[in-house]
Amino acid sequence: MKYEIFDVSQYQKDQVEPLGTKSKYWCSGPDGHDYLFKSIETYDSNHNLVSRGGEDWAEKIACEIAKFLSIPCADYSLANNGSSRGVITKNFIGKNNAYLVTGNEVLRNYSSFAMQEELAKAERQDILGVYSILRRIIRYKPVGFNSLPGVKTAADFFMGYLMLDSLISNQDRHSENWGLIVTGKKRHLAPTFDHAASLGRNESDAEKERRLLSRDKGQQVATYVLRAKSYFYLRGVRLRTLKAFQFFGVLTPAAALSWLEHLGKLTLEEMQAIINKVPTEVMSDVSKKFALEMLVCNKSNMMALIPFFEESLEPAFRKWQMKNYE
């Protein structure tokens, strides 16, 4: 059975969403819930209409993978508003008195002056600064989601977000693509959201085919995925998605191992099932093959880190870590 494509052309359009660069707006569905529609079409700096094909299927696949891995995430569905493809997601904030605060606001208000300077440099969010914010300011896990063995706090759950980023090669975890939800006096980590810049969606089918068939190691998918960049920095150096996952795992090794145990259950068959449910009119066969190969390569790279994280649990290492990072 393929994923349903929801027709939202009759949903009542409420307001334009100010965050981000894509054409998106809030609308009211027939069920009375508020939904955010995100189009794959947007306008460039010269006000020309451009299509970012693949952002819809990348978002949907990332969502389904996150749900399989028990990672709290916004629930995305494929959609069409009559003139454009896209996705819709239900408002995840919940209670009327609750509200979302994005990461850039948190970092601006609570980071040291040096870290604020880094943030001002093209969204340079220091990964140690983010870890500190999660430990000191946010602290609580996402609302409505259960704790897991070794995964209790906001930092532990954020470790899962970075695992997802590395798995799908998500290169868009900037400081407006994570945040906290304030409920009363508590600050909870928000579910993960916005994963459209992943799974090679920006590459042409011809480029994907070339890499899938290439005998040149430097052009193959296994090498391609290692180049994915995160929005996290360490001492002024931008980290690759795998390195961001690895470094944050040093700070939260028990959570890293717990998430990797979940990842181990994501078999090739499960990956194929999730990808193949995308309708062919939305995602081409070569894009499906390429996305699957990316998942296989990234999973292998992360699973290979299990001994490293096990070593990070050793008392001597933890004592050093507490002194230097916590």
Side-chain angles (χ1 to χ4, degrees):
M1 182 181 294
K2 301 295 184 181
Y3 298 125
E4 182 177 358
I5 302 176
F6 287 84
D7 181 358
V8 300
S9 59
Q10 301 303 311
Y11 285 24
Q12 182 177 345
K13 189 174 180 179
D14 296 329
Q15 61 184 10
V16 175
E17 169 58 45
L19 292 177
T21 59
K22 292 180 283 296
S23 299
K24 51 187 176 182
Y25 58 83
W26 287 100
C27 54
S28 301
D31 57 3
H33 290 293
D34 293 331
Y35 292 89
L36 181 66
F37 174 78
K38 298 197 302 179
S39 172
I40 64 170
E41 295 183 341
T42 188
Y43 293 90
D44 62 18
S45 58
N46 296 318
H47 305 289
N48 297 313
L49 186 65
V50 294
S51 178
R52 296 181 174 179
E55 288 195 342
D56 48 354
W57 56 253
E59 194 78 82
K60 179 58 178 176
I61 291 171
C63 169
E64 295 302 316
I65 289 174
K67 287 192 288 187
F68 181 89
L69 296 173
S70 300
I71 297 173
C73 67
D75 192 4
Y76 290 95
S77 296
L78 298 173
N80 191 304
N81 70 349
S83 61
S84 171
R85 280 171 29 199
V87 292
I88 56 168
T89 182
K90 187 185 296 184
N91 189 340
F92 58 68
I93 296 177
K95 299 178 181 179
N96 292 331
N97 62 340
Y99 58 93
L100 174 70
V101 181
T102 52
N104 62 322
E105 297 178 70
V106 183
L107 290 167
R108 188 180 301 119
N109 292 329
Y110 295 100
S111 296
S112 66
F113 180 74
M115 288 181 180
Q116 288 180 18
E117 283 190 320
E118 282 297 299
L119 183 64
K121 298 175 184 176
E123 292 291 342
R124 286 190 180 183
Q125 46 183 355
D126 184 270
I127 197 166
L128 285 173
V130 173
Y131 173 73
S132 178
I133 291 295
L134 291 164
R135 288 294 303 271
R136 296 186 298 108
I137 305 302
I138 303 179
R139 298 178 58 190
Y140 293 98
K141 66 181 178 64
V143 177
F145 292 89
N146 296 325
S147 297
L148 302 168
V151 180
K152 312 290 182 184
T153 67
D156 294 339
F157 276 91
F158 200 79
M159 180 75 255
Y161 298 2
L162 295 186
M163 183 180 77
L164 177 66
D165 288 347
S166 187
L167 179 63
I168 63 176
S169 294
N170 177 30
Q171 302 188 76
D172 204 27
R173 180 75 64 184
H174 56 72
S175 59
E176 288 186 1
N177 276 353
W178 63 272
L180 64 89
I181 294 177
V182 179
T183 59
K185 295 182 178 180
K186 290 186 176 181
R187 301 184 183 97
H188 297 263
L189 180 65
T192 182
F193 56 91
D194 279 357
H195 318 97
S198 61
L199 295 171
R201 75 93 205 150
N202 58 309
E203 304 288 358
S204 68
D205 277 5
E207 175 65 10
K208 292 173 183 177
E209 188 77 40
R210 185 183 70 81
R211 289 186 179 276
L212 286 168
L213 298 176
S214 179
R215 295 183 180 181
D216 181 351
K217 186 176 180 180
Q219 297 299 312
Q220 293 172 355
V221 180
T223 303
Y224 173 84
V225 296
L226 294 175
R227 297 170 183 157
K229 293 181 179 180
S230 77
Y231 261 96
F232 295 98
Y233 285 73
L234 178 63
R235 300 184 180 94
V237 178
R238 188 174 182 180
L239 300 173
R240 307 285 183 178
T241 53
L242 182 62
K243 281 296 182 181
F245 168 74
Q246 182 178 4
F247 184 81
F248 207 85
V250 171
L251 303 174
T252 58
L257 289 168
S258 181
W259 286 120
L260 286 174
E261 183 177 351
H262 280 74
L263 181 60
K265 300 174 184 176
L266 183 65
T267 64
L268 175 65
E269 291 73 24
E270 291 289 350
M271 295 177 190
Q272 286 177 317
I274 289 172
I275 292 172
N276 288 338
K277 288 180 183 179
V278 180
T280 53
E281 65 266 31
V282 174
M283 186 180 190
S284 68
D285 287 340
V286 68
S287 287
K288 291 180 179 181
K289 292 176 183 177
F290 193 80
L292 179 62
E293 186 65 16
M294 288 183 69
L295 292 176
V296 169
C297 293
N298 283 328
K299 176 187 173 182
S300 177
N301 291 335
M302 285 188 287
M303 297 301 289
L305 292 173
I306 289 178
F308 172 79
F309 291 136
E310 289 176 338
E311 183 179 344
S312 299
L313 285 172
E314 294 297 322
F317 184 92
R318 294 298 292 166
K319 183 178 180 180
W320 174 85
Q321 178 210 34
M322 291 287 288
K323 178 180 178 182
N324 287 277
Y325 296 119
E326 297 190 346

